[in-house]
């Protein structure tokens, strides 16, 4: 058999077995396949990864807990949701990864997120394993009291499985400062100890400065390093950003600081286009709208005459936010929000860089189109790693009882993002995938975790 055929047979048997062992978990299969394709040259070159069955082991979570969460709504009616924690891999450190509260949450989504987290955390160079958790609870439209009762009951069970040296959750979609606060309070009460068991805590009670900003800032630092690598910068670039939550808000903030122009923001109800640009005053409006009033992005267009709101059309085969002409695009909302059609639209608009703020926002077909057309593409596991890296810095501050200034945390964040950038390029070059950030990120993350797994024996 020729090389290509050997690869195809390996691929078929590995992916078939994965699908058989995790039926219906399409997001998980998608995330695994991306890594699998990238690391094949590594597996071929290193017999020890094959003989130790590292790939087969790394796709199997070390543990999954799933539990019932009951809570009382404001009308006195008992409600029930399902909670999860997927503890994916602890070879290089305690499990670390966010909690997502969204109606779409299921085991497949959390396994894909936990799997991505293994490699992302390895890339940060901090000793962090991979995990993810959450619930199909929807905080949208709930009162503070309802959210509090849900969070407390969620933590009642989750507390049995986490710990500041075991598993340290953080926020994600639907879990911000409010939810972390309610969960942390409950954990403290149950365990009778003040520890760094969650990150993303308030600055006055153990949190780190710059943690809220870190994912969005890190994304833009990473993108700036990519541009600098080709002698360019974000200065004067027109950018499309999707989402209007934590990651999107701070990505926009940093783009503005670096001299770029942002023309869009979105939420699940649609997107706004503001050709005049979202300036810092308008960004403050978005922050207040989403973080305090918990309103919808359509209200931005009521506030600013320069903007138009386009409602989401779930039946459409593409997302029109990506059809606008821009130099750079930053998907910062959710998984699979940018498909092949959207990628073609971006290419037609001469986009030069697409960097993922969200986890797996681009479909595999979209990624292929971007790369085939010479668009610089950064996978989320590298470009959005600033959030978990700064969570790692929060853990270091908690362990040592210290509190660093914003400047100090931001400086460390920039160093980490630069190292991730350089490590991706180096790994890509070592395996003949020049300047391919996706291969580089997967390879660099994989090698670190695979070596640790082998060193620790068959577990
Ligand atoms: P938030 O909950 O703060 O914001 C999410 C944003 O995405 C909101 O604007 C939300 O709109 C929108 N959104 C969510 N689901 C959908 C959907 N199905 N269709 C369209 N829009 C949607 O979450 P974050 O900003 O924290 O997270 C965004 C992404 O970044 C996620 O993929 C997350 O996993 C990833 N990420 C986050 C990190 C962090 O530190 N927070 C770290 C690394 C990655 P609406 O308000 O209508 O729900």
């Amino acid at each position: 058999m020729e090389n290509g055929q050997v690869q195809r047979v390996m691929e078929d048997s590995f992916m078939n077995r994965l699908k058989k062992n995790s039926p219906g978990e399409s997001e998980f299969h998608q995330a695994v396949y991306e890594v699998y394709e990238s690391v094949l040259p590594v597996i071929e070159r290193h017999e020890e990864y094959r003989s130790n069955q590292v790939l087969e082991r790394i796709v199997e979570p070390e543990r999954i807990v799933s539990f019932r969460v009951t809570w009382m709504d404001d009308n006195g009616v008992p409600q029930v949701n399902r909670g999860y924690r997927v503890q994916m891999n602890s070879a290089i450190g305690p499990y670390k990864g966010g909690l997502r509260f969204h109606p779409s949450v299921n085991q497949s989504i959390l396994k894909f997120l936990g799997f991505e987290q293994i490699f992302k955390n390895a890339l940060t160079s901090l000793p962090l394993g991979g995990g993810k958790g959450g619930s199909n609870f929807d905080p949208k439209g709930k009162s503070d009291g309802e959210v509090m009762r849900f969070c407390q009951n969620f933590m009642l069970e989750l507390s049995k499985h986490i710990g500041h040296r075991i598993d340290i959750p953080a926020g994600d979609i639907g879990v911000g400062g409010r939810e972390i606060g309610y969960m942390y309070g409950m954990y403290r009460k149950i365990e009778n100890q003040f520890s760094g068991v969650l990150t993303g805590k308030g600055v006055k009670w153990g949190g780190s400065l710059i943690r809220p900003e870190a994912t969005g800032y890190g994304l833009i630092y990473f993108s700036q390093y990519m541009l600098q690598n080709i002698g360019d910068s974000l200065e004067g670039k027109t950018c499309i950003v999707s989402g209007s939550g934590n990651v999107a808000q701070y990505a926009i903030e940093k783009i503005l600081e670096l001299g770029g122009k942002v023309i869009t923001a979105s939420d699940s109800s649609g997107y706004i286009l503001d050709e005049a640009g979202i300036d810092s005053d308008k960004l403050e409006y978005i922050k207040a709208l989403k973080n305090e009033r918990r309103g919808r992005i359509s209200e931005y267009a009521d506030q600013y005459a320069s903007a138009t709101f386009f409602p989401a059309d779930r039946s459409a085969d593409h997302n029109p936010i990506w059809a606008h002409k821009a130099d750079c695009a930053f998907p910062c909302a959710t998984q699979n929000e940018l498909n092949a059609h959207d990628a073609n639209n971006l290419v037609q608009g001469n986009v030069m860089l697409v960097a993922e703020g969200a986890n797996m926002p681009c479909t595999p077909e979209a990624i292929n189109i971007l790369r085939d057309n010479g668009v610089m593409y950064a996978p989320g596991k590298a470009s959005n790693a600033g959030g978990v890296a700064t969570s790692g810095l929060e853990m270091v501050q908690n362990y040592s009882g210290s509190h660093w200034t914003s400047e100090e945390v931001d400086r460390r964040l920039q160093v980490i993002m630069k190292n991730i950038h350089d490590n991706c390029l180096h790994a890509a070059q070592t395996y003949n995938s020049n300047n391919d950030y996706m291969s580089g990120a997967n390879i660099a993350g994989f090698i670190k975790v695979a070596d640790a797994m082998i060193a620790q024996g068959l577990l």
Side-chain angles (χ1 to χ4, degrees):
M1 267 196 284
E2 283 176 15
N3 236 356
Q5 284 172 300
V6 175
Q7 267 195 13
R8 175 64 52 201
V9 171
M10 274 173 67
E11 180 178 312
D12 284 351
S13 72
F14 175 77
M15 285 309 294
N16 284 342
R17 190 151 13 123
L18 182 87
K19 287 177 184 167
K20 192 161 159 271
N21 289 341
S22 50
E25 297 185 347
S26 56
E27 293 85 0
F28 178 55
H29 305 157
Q30 182 182 334
V32 171
Y33 187 67
E34 183 205 293
V35 173
Y36 176 79
E37 252 195 337
S38 298
V39 303
L40 259 185
V42 185
I43 306 269
E44 277 167 8
R45 207 183 283 184
H46 294 270
E47 196 277 329
E48 70 272 25
Y49 297 146
R50 294 195 300 278
S51 61
N52 281 287
Q53 301 274 310
V54 175
L55 257 184
E56 288 71 10
R57 288 157 61 198
I58 211 167
V59 296
E60 195 63 38
E62 290 179 9
R63 186 179 299 107
I64 299 181
V65 283
S66 145
F67 48 92
R68 181 176 65 202
V69 186
T70 46
W71 55 283
M72 192 77 89
D73 73 15
D74 285 345
N75 299 316
V77 179
Q79 300 289 335
V80 59
N81 286 96
R82 185 172 300 162
Y84 301 89
R85 187 71 183 163
V86 177
Q87 296 179 329
M88 204 75 202
N89 193 297
S90 59
I92 63 166
Y95 308 106
K96 178 94 196 96
L99 295 169
R100 177 176 291 192
F101 292 168
H102 193 271
S104 64
V105 163
N106 58 35
Q107 188 166 296
S108 169
I109 295 215
L110 295 178
K111 278 175 70 179
F112 117 62
L113 289 165
F115 185 72
E116 294 264 304
Q117 200 81 46
I118 302 175
F119 307 98
K120 182 189 308 194
N121 293 1
L123 287 172
T124 65
S125 70
L126 299 169
L128 303 170
K132 201 81 188 187
S135 172
N136 58 357
F137 172 76
D138 187 359
K140 231 180 273 149
K142 305 286 191 304
S143 69
D144 276 356
E146 290 176 324
V147 170
M148 182 179 73
R149 290 192 290 281
F150 173 80
C151 288
Q152 291 177 336
N153 283 289
F154 180 82
M155 185 49 86
L156 208 52
E157 180 62 32
L158 186 70
S159 62
K160 297 171 190 164
H161 311 284
I162 60 175
H164 74 133
R165 303 264 182 200
I166 302 168
D167 183 350
I168 305 96
D172 189 71
I173 290 179
V175 179
R178 173 181 63 167
E179 291 76 14
I180 292 287
Y182 292 146
M183 287 190 276
Y184 188 72
M186 192 60 174
Y187 183 86
R188 195 169 53 74
K189 186 155 178 73
I190 296 167
E191 299 293 329
N192 196 27
Q193 60 166 278
F194 196 100
S195 72
V197 69
L198 295 176
T199 57
K201 300 185 290 299
V203 179
K204 292 178 180 150
W205 39 278
S208 174
L209 289 163
I210 303 293
R211 175 60 189 91
E213 293 87 344
T215 309
Y217 278 16
L219 167 69
I220 303 307
Y221 290 143
F222 193 93
S223 306
Q224 182 81 326
Y225 297 135
M226 289 171 81
L227 289 166
Q228 282 171 355
N229 196 45
I230 57 159
D232 206 336
S233 82
L234 269 165
E235 174 94 41
K237 299 281 185 298
T238 298
C239 304
I240 306 176
V241 174
S242 67
S244 53
N246 173 268
V247 180
Q249 289 171 17
Y250 290 105
I252 296 173
E253 188 163 291
K254 191 51 77 178
I255 293 170
L256 297 184
E257 249 183 75
L258 295 180
K261 177 180 176 186
V262 180
I263 56 168
T264 60
S266 72
D267 64 19
S268 51
S269 58
Y271 77 95
I272 57 102
L273 172 69
D274 187 346
E275 300 271 21
I278 300 174
D279 61 21
S280 49
D281 287 343
K282 293 170 177 174
L283 176 60
E284 287 312 308
Y285 174 84
I286 293 179
K287 286 185 186 170
L289 173 73
K290 300 307 280 188
N291 308 347
E292 288 155 33
R293 293 196 281 121
R294 300 189 190 275
R296 310 307 298 155
I297 199 68
S298 57
E299 295 170 48
Y300 179 103
D302 302 334
Q303 179 76 12
Y304 299 107
S306 53
T308 312
F309 173 68
F310 298 90
D313 176 4
R314 303 254 167 262
S315 63
D317 63 352
H318 70 291
N319 185 346
I321 194 171
W322 308 118
H324 299 284
K325 195 171 159 39
D327 304 303
C328 304
F330 300 100
C332 296
T334 193
Q335 64 272 0
N336 293 330
E337 57 166 312
L338 196 164
N339 66 17
H341 191 143
D342 301 318
N344 277 319
N345 280 343
L346 283 169
V347 168
Q348 301 246 306
N350 283 331
V351 77
M352 63 185 297
L353 176 146
V354 176
E356 296 183 336
N359 286 312
M360 208 167 77
C362 298
T363 65
E365 299 76 22
I367 295 169
N368 286 339
I369 291 167
L370 295 173
R371 291 158 86 208
D372 289 349
N373 283 280
V375 176
M376 285 190 288
Y377 161 74
K381 59 171 73 73
S383 51
N384 73 28
V388 72
T390 308
S391 277
L393 300 180
E394 182 174 330
M395 288 163 64
V396 174
Q397 292 170 78
N398 290 164
Y399 289 144
S400 61
S402 52
H403 190 64
W404 300 335
T405 61
S406 298
E407 292 72 26
E408 175 63 14
V409 181
D410 195 33
R411 187 188 63 75
R412 289 177 188 244
L413 171 63
Q414 290 182 52
V415 170
I416 290 171
M417 296 315 294
K418 179 77 168 79
N419 284 340
I420 297 175
H421 173 271
D422 293 354
N423 288 341
C424 288
L425 280 188
H426 177 72
Q429 276 153 14
T430 308
Y431 287 91
N432 306 324
S433 314
N434 284 352
N435 293 343
D436 180 346
Y437 287 88
M438 185 175 94
S439 299
N442 288 332
I443 291 170
F446 175 80
I447 289 176
K448 181 166 180 189
V449 179
D451 289 349
M453 288 172 73
I454 293 173
Q456 292 171 35
L458 207 50
L459 295 169

